[in-house]
Each structure stands twice: as C-alpha cells, then as structure tokens.
Amino acid sequence: MAKQNKAYKFRVYPTDEQALMIRKTFGCVRFVYNKMLAERKETYEKLKDDKEALKNLKHPTPAKYKKEFAWLKEVDSLALANAQLNVDKAYKAFFKGNAKFPKFKSKRHRQSYTTNVVNGNIQLLDGHIKLPKLKMVKIKKHREIPSEYKIKSCTLSMTSSGKYYISILTEYEKEIESKEIEKVVGLDFAMDGLFVDSKGEKANYPKFYRQMLEKLAKEQRKLSRKKKGSANWNKQRIRVAKTQEKVANQRNNFLHHKSKELVSNFDAVVIEDLDMKGMSQALKFGKSVADNGWGMFTSFLQYKLKEQGKQLVKIDKWFPSTKTCSNCGSVKEIELSERTYQCACGLNIDRDYNSALNIKKEGIRLLATA
Ligand SMILES: [Zn+2]
C-alpha cells in the first residue's frame, strides 16, 4: 500500500496565554534558525573549497543553544528540532543548485512553527486540539478528517492581522490505480485571468475578486498617505492586512474550484513548465505574475490529479507553443501585440487559444511516448 499525505487547515482560537506561548515559539524558532544558519555560514566560508570536509561536517543542534539560552527550554522542543531540519533542507537545496544560499529569517517572514506527533502529544478532540506546551486550543473544524488518517505534524501560523491557523498534515494508506487517459486538456498561462484552455475558454477571476483587488489598492494608497507609526497609520495597516487576507482567501477558493473542475472533467492536464520567478523578472511584470497564483494553482492541480490516479504533464518551457500553428504545424514569429494567430493555411484564432491547442498536442505526444 502506498502512503499518501493530505493537509487540513483550520482556524484556531488560542487564549491570551496560549497566544503568548505561540508567539514566543515563533521567536525561538526564528532565533535558533538564524543561529544555526550563522554558524553554518561561517564554516561554509571557511571550508567552501574543501568539498570532503563540508560533507563530513557535524552541524549544530538546538540542544547546543539551550545551554546558553535557557529560555529556549520554555517552548516546544520539537518546533526547534524542525528549525534545524529546515536549515538542513535549505542547505541541501542550495548544494544541489536548486536554490540560493539560505537567508536569515526576519520578523517580517511568515510567523509559523511546526511540531510533530510523538506519543499522543497531539490529539484532535471535539472543538479542541491538544498541542505540546499549549494543552487544549479551541479549533474551528469546518471539515472532518477521516478517522483512518494519521496526524503526522502540525504547523501553527499567525496572519499579520493577528489570526491564528493550524495546518494538520495527515498520512493515510491508499492504493491509487492509474486512470486510463482518454480526456486531455491543455492550458496556456494567461497574465490577465489565469489560463486559456484548449477549448478556447478563459478562466477569469470572478468579478468580486477583482473588486476586492481594487479595494486593496485603495486601502494601500490610504496607508501611504498616513504618518508612519501614528495611531491612524496602525489602524489602516491592520485594515490593509485584513483586506490582503480576504484577497488571498478568495484567490485560494477560486484556484481550488478551478483545479477541482479540471480534475473532474479530464484524465490529464497539460501545462508549460514555466519558471515564474524568471519570467516575472524577464518580462518586468513584477508583482502581477506572482500574484496571479499560477504556482499555487499548478500545485493544487498536481495533488488533486494524483489523488485520482490522473496526470499532470509538464512540457518543456522552450516548446514553441506561441509560435506554432496548431493547424498545420508551421512556425513563425509572433509579436506580443498580435492577439490573433493568423497562418497561411487559413487558421485565424486567438493567440492563447492557439497556444493551448499546441500544449495539448505536445502533452498527448509525451503521454504516448512515456
Ligand atoms: Zn497553419
């Protein structure tokens, strides 16, 4: 039987005392993370030309700091152990060439910590969750976790407007049979909206979401006119944070809805393997590409498809999906300003629709050769 994972996120309502402990843990985790990173950075600088020595290094553990900084003992030790794992992970990714050199965490980073299940220290009960160092924390469980799902770890986080959430990672055993692939759809990433599919349909963000974005921009403008640090500025800052959270929630709901729809209608979804970061820099679109939610959308697609034995096919980012005629296969240059693809063969369709058709075709070709 293959092991599967699923995460559930719920709002929690800690008491003042519990909230204080949670925030203290955020701080301790950040402290330990930065300490370990600083030490490793130092040894890295010293030994960076000696690959063998780097490989065999003994790395610092949280225990080392507990002696020097006794207050670290007050918080959940599993959370500190996870900070160590995160430093390790960041380093490994760096050495593999998948990431930049790890950065120090500041207070402006997302505030969170992760703790693990050991000997029944975490238990989900009616209306409450038992957590290390916190005991019973009130939880709003808006959906049930099947009883055969085992809790592996929990991540507590706080939003900038001061709401607390818990993400519960579970594990369960399930044999997933691969679906026979009959229905395939290709998606072309779209700057405005989310994508255009190979039927020519656009996935546009709903109107209320675009209205909320306008509201956010308005609130941010108001904030910029207030005197930094003043009482009014602070009030406005919280208003901005709350609007940002609403925007993020609405976007998440939309992305969940769209990915679910695709997964129920198709056996395979084909997308281009875009490097969003590189793309947003290259195209100087900056924020809007990142805010578009494409990365999150594809990760939702990935796990939802996998759960049903279906496939996400990623095609090479150099595949000329825009330049190719989806009808006759000839390739030509096309300007960004040209909204339709016109070909000597007689094809005359929306450029994104043409791309989506090419992406679908390429996906089918890859599936056939796999
Ligand atoms: Zn053509």
Side-chain angles (χ1 to χ4, degrees), residues 324-330 341-347:
T324 308
C325 170
S326 58
N327 185 42
C328 71
S330 67
Y341 191 100
Q342 290 172 325
C343 181
C345 74
L347 187 81

Side-chain angles (χ1 to χ4, degrees), residues 284-345:
K284 295 219 166 76
F285 282 126
K287 237 177 125 214
S288 50
V289 176
D291 286 353
N292 178 285
W294 180 253
M296 193 171 277
F297 173 68
T298 55
S299 72
F300 288 172
L301 261 181
Q302 176 104 61
Y303 86 78
K304 286 189 206 302
L305 285 163
K306 196 176 156 229
E307 274 178 348
Q308 300 200 20
K310 297 179 171 183
Q311 292 205 47
L312 180 70
V313 184
K314 286 185 181 176
I315 65 170
D316 193 281
K317 64 179 162 191
W318 303 116
F319 174 75
S321 60
T322 339
K323 295 176 184 172
T324 308
C325 170
S326 58
N327 185 42
C328 71
S330 67
V331 177
K332 66 162 194 171
E333 289 304 318
I334 175 165
E335 297 286 326
L336 247 170
S337 57
E338 291 175 62
R339 291 316 304 166
T340 54
Y341 191 100
Q342 290 172 325
C343 181
C345 74

Side-chain angles (χ1 to χ4, degrees), residues 162-328:
K163 288 179 193 153
Y164 292 86
Y165 288 90
I166 192 164
S167 176
I168 303 173
L169 182 71
T170 65
E171 188 181 80
Y172 60 100
E173 297 202 339
K174 192 182 170 194
E175 211 51 79
I176 296 173
E177 268 182 57
S178 299
K179 275 258 162 61
E180 196 187 325
I181 293 165
E182 287 169 348
K183 287 182 282 178
V184 179
V185 68
L187 309 180
D188 182 49
F189 166 75
M191 271 298 298
D192 51 337
L194 185 65
F195 61 79
V196 176
D197 70 24
S198 48
K199 286 183 171 167
E201 274 164 43
K202 285 187 172 136
N204 277 325
Y205 280 96
K207 196 170 169 216
F208 61 80
Y209 173 73
R210 282 175 282 134
Q211 283 167 341
M212 191 55 83
L213 278 182
E214 279 167 30
K215 187 176 177 234
L216 175 62
K218 214 172 98 193
E219 299 291 0
Q220 280 168 329
R221 277 198 301 276
K222 270 193 204 164
L223 180 67
S224 69
R225 287 196 295 266
K226 300 220 181 321
K227 192 169 168 259
K228 206 171 170 182
S230 68
N232 277 332
W233 177 85
N234 211 33
K235 240 193 244 166
Q236 187 61 22
R237 184 189 62 82
I238 291 167
R239 205 169 285 150
V240 166
K242 279 191 175 156
T243 317
Q244 270 166 340
E245 278 162 32
K246 268 190 203 144
V247 164
N249 284 340
Q250 284 182 349
R251 190 176 56 200
N252 269 9
N253 289 344
F254 173 72
L255 299 176
H256 270 302
H257 171 76
K258 272 290 156 196
S259 50
K260 202 170 160 187
E261 200 176 72
L262 286 164
V263 173
S264 56
N265 290 334
F266 298 97
D267 307 314
V269 179
V270 192
I271 57 167
E272 279 176 299
D273 194 5
L274 298 174
D275 168 10
M276 294 312 288
K277 256 195 193 142
M279 191 165 138
S280 64
Q281 278 154 6
L283 297 181
K284 295 219 166 76
F285 282 126
K287 237 177 125 214
S288 50
V289 176
D291 286 353
N292 178 285
W294 180 253
M296 193 171 277
F297 173 68
T298 55
S299 72
F300 288 172
L301 261 181
Q302 176 104 61
Y303 86 78
K304 286 189 206 302
L305 285 163
K306 196 176 156 229
E307 274 178 348
Q308 300 200 20
K310 297 179 171 183
Q311 292 205 47
L312 180 70
V313 184
K314 286 185 181 176
I315 65 170
D316 193 281
K317 64 179 162 191
W318 303 116
F319 174 75
S321 60
T322 339
K323 295 176 184 172
T324 308
C325 170
S326 58
N327 185 42
C328 71

Side-chain angles (χ1 to χ4, degrees), residues 107-124:
K107 274 191 184 170
R108 274 184 304 178
H109 270 84
R110 196 175 85 103
Q111 303 257 52
S112 73
Y113 75 84
T114 300
T115 184
N116 306 79
V117 172
V118 183
N119 300 328
N121 61 343
I122 297 176
Q123 273 170 32
L124 202 49

Side-chain angles (χ1 to χ4, degrees), residues 50-100:
D50 189 348
K51 287 253 156 64
E52 241 354 82
L54 268 183
K55 229 193 238 166
N56 300 321
L57 260 181
K58 279 252 186 319
H59 296 300
T61 66
K64 181 184 166 187
Y65 305 115
K66 279 186 193 169
K67 279 182 205 137
E68 198 179 337
F69 309 99
W71 39 270
L72 288 174
K73 289 182 202 155
E74 290 168 32
V75 305
D76 184 355
S77 58
L78 294 158
L80 301 181
N82 281 315
Q84 184 190 358
L85 290 179
N86 287 338
V87 176
D88 285 343
K89 233 194 266 166
Y91 257 87
K92 277 193 186 126
F94 166 68
F95 282 119
K96 270 194 190 154
N98 296 338
K100 288 187 182 159

